[in-house]
């Protein structure tokens, strides 16, 4: 808890420091990382805490991103309408996809969630009215009112940071609740959970829908952030990226999704924007192969840190 | 209390239970015995709902539960324990039992209030722990318990749901003599409030506890009745009891 607060104090100070050196690029970049942190945290609820290996989480980010973008494109710029619409759309998508997928187990579950997400990907590709495969540029970000201009990078940063804090606190609370205990119990021993009287399917579906709703909010924020949405937010590579974030950061660890988002996006950025002269001398095109670097880090984490980076950090504290 | 009518289950190539009819009366300890592979565990799974029956009808406490989901059967008061220990290994003993109490006591669609604030849940879990002899182990992780203690917790999870009828699948499996005596004493204590269907290979335990016994061989019930009658039954001796009782 103390650590979480310390991290948030640093995060609160970050834009001030960046403004002081007049570097708003990094404020905007940090907003993007935080939005991904929210999305990865929501996946961690399903994947880490719930033990459901969903390979289609990008569908819910995408549902939210498109719902929010369509609102703005249709002239409804208020975040108070657009974001709840995004949450509702992604929750509905999660309910539909979950209701079918959760009747399967193991590899079938992985494949069916992937298949649904790809269907959603092709669906938005065919929505010609909203840009089809070229995507939909937005005239502006959502409007929050309250005297807060989301067009301002610093304001936007604080708003997404607020939602990350809310997501993490919510996840922490939910996991202490009756519902959270049941979700973990199902992950640990599904047959026994049912045999002590727990309707496993309903709890898993509820968990899936909650995670989908939060992912939808992240999608809405993502669309506003870039003032643009395109079908790639639903592409299976995005689902895979979110999974990598969770695995890197720590499966079933409160901060796992956030740490994974920070490390993965940070790594990608560093590899592609800060060329190492000595490495470039050997392999001139290496920044285009940033994925290789990410893959190596991933391999190291999986081999040496089964609870991800969050697990490493908390073990060191224990020692 | 529990009535099976011509219940069957077939796996690829094996008829595990074949036209089983069986009645468990309220208040009794009914033992189900039979050689390895007779279909006892399969039958328990059909009664608890984890395996759907191919044919037949299962009635419990006035309800037709043939097609009911496992959790629905638990809600009606029908709980089971497993032959192969199936507990929440990474939970503490107290959390294991509290979860079972929670499953019984209302909905778990409660997202915000910490479970830890629900004192009554844990009080009841502690009392079950006392009953199964694990009061000193409340905060031990279940995986670290000795085998006998895990078996006790296995039965405790079923009892914590406050069943009317509990299906115990070889509760003495793998236990030493001392642990076995404790388990027998536990079943003897709870029989006053819970009806028991007991699958067990330990004939000493069976004849000490059972009011009635049914014998399953090759998926069929070949005899059902009072312990003395079963002991005397020629067919049963030949098929199963033979050496064990003669000794
Ligand atoms: N899931 C399954 N798939 C295929 N065959 C099975 C399955 N479960 C049990 N069987 C077979 O069904 C038969 C009955 O098995 P079951 O486990 O019910 O016997 P049991 O009476 O409990 O034996 P034991 O005393 O060894 O526990 C056996 O031949 C077994 O191999
Ligand atoms: Mg068996």
């Amino acid at each position: 808890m103390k650590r979480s607060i310390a991290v948030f104090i640093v995060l609160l100070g970050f834009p001030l420091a960046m403004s002081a050196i007049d570097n708003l690029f990094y404020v905007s970049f940090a907003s993007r990382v935080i939005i991904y942190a929210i999305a990865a945290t929501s996946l961690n609820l399903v994947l880490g805490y719930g033990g459901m290996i969903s390979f289609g989480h990008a569908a819910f980010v995408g549902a939210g991103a498109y719902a929010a973008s369509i609102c703005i494109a249709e002239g409804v710029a208020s975040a108070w309408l657009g974001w709840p619409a995004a949450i509702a759309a992604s929750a509905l998508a999660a309910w539909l996809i979950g209701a079918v997928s959760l009747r399967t187990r193991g590899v079938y579950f992985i494949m069916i969630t992937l298949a649904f997400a790809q269907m959603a990907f092709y669906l938005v590709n065919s929505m010609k009215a909203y840009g089809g495969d070229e995507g939909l540029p937005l005239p502006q970000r959502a409007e929050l009112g309250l005297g807060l201009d989301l067009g301002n990078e610093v304001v936007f940063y604080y708003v997404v940071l607020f939602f990350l804090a809310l997501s993490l606190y919510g996840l922490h609370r939910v996991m202490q609740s009756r519902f959270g205990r049941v979700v973990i119990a199902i992950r640990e021993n599904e047959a026994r959970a049912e045999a002590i009287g727990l309707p496993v399917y309903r709890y898993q579906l509820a968990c899936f829908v909650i995670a989908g709703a939060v992912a939808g909010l992240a999608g809405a924020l993502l669309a506003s952030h870039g003032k643009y949405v395109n079908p790639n937010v639903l592409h299976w590579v995005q689902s895979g990226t979110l999974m990598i974030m969770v695995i890197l950061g720590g499966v079933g660890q409160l901060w796992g999704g956030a740490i994974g988002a920070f490390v993965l996006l940070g790594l990608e950025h560093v590899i592609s924007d800060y060329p190492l002269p000595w490495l470039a001398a050997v392999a001139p095109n290496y920044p285009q192969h940033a994925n290789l670097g990410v893959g190596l880090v991933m391999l190291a984490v999986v081999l040496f840190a089964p609870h991800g980076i969050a697990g490493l950090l908390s073990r060191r504290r224990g020692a | 209390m529990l009535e099976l009518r011509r219940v069957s289950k077939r796996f690829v190539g094996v008829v595990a239970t074949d036209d089983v009819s069986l009645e468990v009366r309220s208040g009794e300890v009914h033992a189900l015995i039979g050689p390895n592979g007779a279909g006892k565990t399969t039958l328990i799974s059909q009664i608890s709902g984890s395996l759907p029956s191919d044919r037949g009808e299962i009635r419990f406490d006035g309800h037709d539960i043939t097609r009911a989901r496992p959790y629905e059967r638990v809600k009606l008061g029908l709980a089971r324990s497993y032959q192969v220990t199936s507990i929440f290994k990474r939970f503490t003993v107290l959390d294991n039992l509290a979860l079972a109490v929670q499953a019984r006591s209302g909905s778990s669609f409660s997202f915000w209030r910490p479970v830890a604030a629900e004192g009554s849940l844990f009080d009841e879990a502690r009392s079950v722990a006392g009953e199964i002899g694990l009061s000193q182990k409340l905060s031990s992780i279940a995986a670290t318990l000795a085998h006998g203690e895990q078996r006790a917790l296995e039965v405790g999870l079923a009892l914590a749901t406050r069943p009317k009828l509990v299906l115990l699948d070889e509760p003495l499996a793998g236990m030493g003599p001392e642990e076995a005596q404790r388990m027998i004493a536990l079943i003897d204590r709870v029989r006053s409030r819970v009806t028991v269907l007991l699958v067990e290979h330990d004939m000493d335990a069976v004849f000490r506890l059972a009011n009635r016994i049914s014998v399953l061989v090759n998926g069929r019930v070949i005899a059902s009745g009072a312990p003395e009658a079963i002991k005397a039954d020629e067919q049963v001796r030949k098929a199963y009891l033979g050496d064990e009782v003669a000794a």
Side-chain angles (χ1 to χ4, degrees):
Chain A
M1 195 64 187
K2 262 188 200 157
R3 275 193 170 195
S4 300
I5 290 169
V7 170
F8 270 101
I9 289 174
V10 171
L11 290 174
L12 281 170
F14 179 74
L16 302 179
M18 287 298 125
S19 302
I21 60 168
D22 214 13
N23 191 338
L24 284 182
F25 168 78
Y26 274 111
V27 177
S28 175
F29 178 70
S31 295
R32 207 174 111 81
V33 172
I34 292 171
I35 294 169
Y36 271 94
I38 297 170
T41 299
S42 72
L43 176 60
N44 207 358
L45 172 61
V46 168
L47 183 76
Y49 293 89
M52 295 168 262
I53 306 180
S54 166
F55 201 165
H57 208 61
F60 312 128
V61 177
Y66 266 88
S69 300
I70 289 171
C71 284
I72 295 176
E74 297 292 349
V76 183
S78 169
W80 299 96
L81 292 170
W83 294 353
I87 291 170
S90 54
L92 179 68
W95 185 69
L96 291 172
I97 293 177
V100 177
S101 309
L102 286 168
R103 296 186 187 279
T104 67
R105 289 289 178 266
V107 177
Y108 298 101
F109 181 76
I110 300 175
M111 298 310 287
I112 200 168
T113 48
L114 173 64
F116 272 120
Q118 283 302 93
M119 277 166 57
F121 171 74
Y122 289 114
L123 183 75
V124 296
N125 256 301
S126 67
M127 292 199 311
K128 293 283 176 275
Y130 297 108
D133 59 354
E134 294 191 344
L136 179 63
L138 302 175
Q140 61 170 117
R141 286 180 176 170
E143 283 168 8
L144 200 52
L146 308 171
L148 297 171
D149 174 16
L150 288 182
N152 179 312
E153 288 304 337
V154 174
V155 172
F156 190 83
Y157 173 94
Y158 281 119
V159 169
V160 295
L161 185 62
F162 167 78
F163 282 119
L164 176 64
L166 202 63
S167 307
L168 288 173
Y169 180 65
L171 180 61
H172 170 74
R173 278 297 289 240
V174 168
M175 281 306 132
Q176 314 294 318
S177 74
R178 274 183 168 231
F179 180 78
R181 298 309 294 168
V182 169
V183 165
I184 293 175
I186 292 171
R187 174 190 76 194
E188 294 292 308
N189 189 341
E190 181 181 332
R192 189 65 199 227
E194 181 108 16
I196 57 172
L198 296 167
V200 165
Y201 175 79
R202 278 187 221 163
Y203 288 111
Q204 287 192 319
L205 185 55
C207 180
F208 203 77
V209 170
I210 293 170
V214 176
L217 174 65
L221 297 172
L222 199 62
S224 260
H225 180 255
K227 286 194 271 182
Y228 177 61
V229 64
N230 80 10
N232 281 339
V233 290
L234 290 92
H235 197 265
W236 69 267
V237 168
Q238 282 291 323
S239 297
T241 302
L242 291 172
M243 285 174 98
I244 291 173
M245 287 174 177
V246 171
I247 294 166
L248 273 182
V251 171
Q253 307 277 326
L254 181 63
W255 279 88
I259 292 176
F262 176 78
V263 170
L264 187 70
L265 295 178
L267 211 58
E268 271 178 7
H269 174 68
V270 168
I271 293 175
S272 55
D273 284 25
Y274 292 90
L276 300 170
W278 59 268
L279 194 54
V282 195
N285 288 331
Y286 87 92
Q288 288 157 30
H289 301 286
N291 286 337
L292 186 64
V294 170
L296 290 174
V297 172
M298 175 91 175
L299 200 62
V301 166
V302 170
L303 287 176
F304 303 114
H307 300 288
I309 298 168
L312 279 182
L313 295 174
S314 64
R315 191 159 351 133
R316 191 172 305 153
R317 177 179 46 179
Chain B
M1 164 139 287
L2 176 74
E3 201 183 340
L4 308 189
R5 279 194 212 126
R6 314 199 60 174
V7 166
S8 301
K9 178 78 200 177
R10 165 194 300 272
F11 296 112
V12 195
V14 202
V15 180
T17 58
D18 189 5
D19 247 355
V20 174
S21 295
L22 188 77
E23 194 203 348
V24 178
R25 296 174 197 156
S26 183
E28 72 176 349
V29 173
H30 192 121
L32 180 65
I33 63 174
N36 290 113
K40 305 181 294 295
T41 297
T42 303
L43 194 63
I44 293 290
S45 297
Q46 288 175 271
I47 300 171
S48 72
S50 52
L51 273 180
S53 297
D54 297 339
R55 264 183 296 136
E57 186 184 311
I58 306 175
R59 297 190 64 81
F60 173 68
D61 206 21
H63 302 86
D64 181 350
I65 58 164
T66 314
R67 306 258 164 269
R69 305 276 314 152
Y71 76 87
E72 293 169 329
R73 302 182 196 210
V74 181
K75 294 265 183 277
L76 293 174
L78 177 57
R80 76 171 289 185
S81 77
Y82 291 81
Q83 178 176 357
V84 179
T85 307
S86 176
I87 53 185
F88 300 98
K89 285 214 160 87
R90 297 205 279 179
F91 284 20
T92 64
V93 168
L94 187 62
D95 283 342
N96 264 275
L97 296 170
L99 188 75
V101 176
Q102 175 186 326
R104 194 209 68 237
S105 64
S107 149
S108 289
F109 282 105
S110 154
F111 299 91
W112 209 246
R113 182 163 173 240
V115 184
E118 295 190 52
S120 63
L121 227 60
F122 291 93
D123 289 344
E124 198 177 327
R126 272 188 210 96
S127 104
V128 178
E131 193 161 54
I132 59 177
L134 292 181
S135 285
Q136 306 302 314
K137 299 279 182 172
L138 290 178
S139 47
S140 303
I141 300 295
T144 67
L145 296 176
H147 175 76
E149 294 169 334
Q150 293 197 5
R151 294 303 293 162
L153 182 56
E154 172 66 46
V155 172
L157 279 179
L159 293 178
T161 67
R162 278 207 210 148
K164 294 179 191 149
L165 167 64
V166 66
L167 314 167
L168 301 178
D169 195 356
E170 299 199 28
L172 305 185
M175 279 190 162
E178 226 173 275
E179 294 167 334
Q181 289 314 312
R182 272 203 291 273
M183 181 61 77
I184 292 171
L186 169 64
I187 297 169
D188 212 24
R189 274 201 308 280
V190 300
R191 68 186 305 167
S192 57
R193 55 184 168 88
V194 187
T195 305
V196 180
L197 178 60
L198 173 69
V199 172
E200 194 43 70
H201 279 295
D202 183 326
M203 286 306 129
D204 177 44
V206 167
F207 284 105
R208 271 173 63 189
L209 291 167
N211 303 99
R212 292 197 305 141
I213 299 176
S214 295
V215 185
L216 198 66
V217 176
N218 282 329
R220 292 180 152 271
V221 175
I222 60 164
S224 194
E228 308 76 52
I230 295 296
K231 225 183 250 184
D233 190 303
E234 204 44 47
Q235 224 189 334
V236 174
R237 284 176 165 269
K238 239 191 272 157
Y240 179 50
L241 281 179
D243 352 294
E244 288 182 57
V245 173

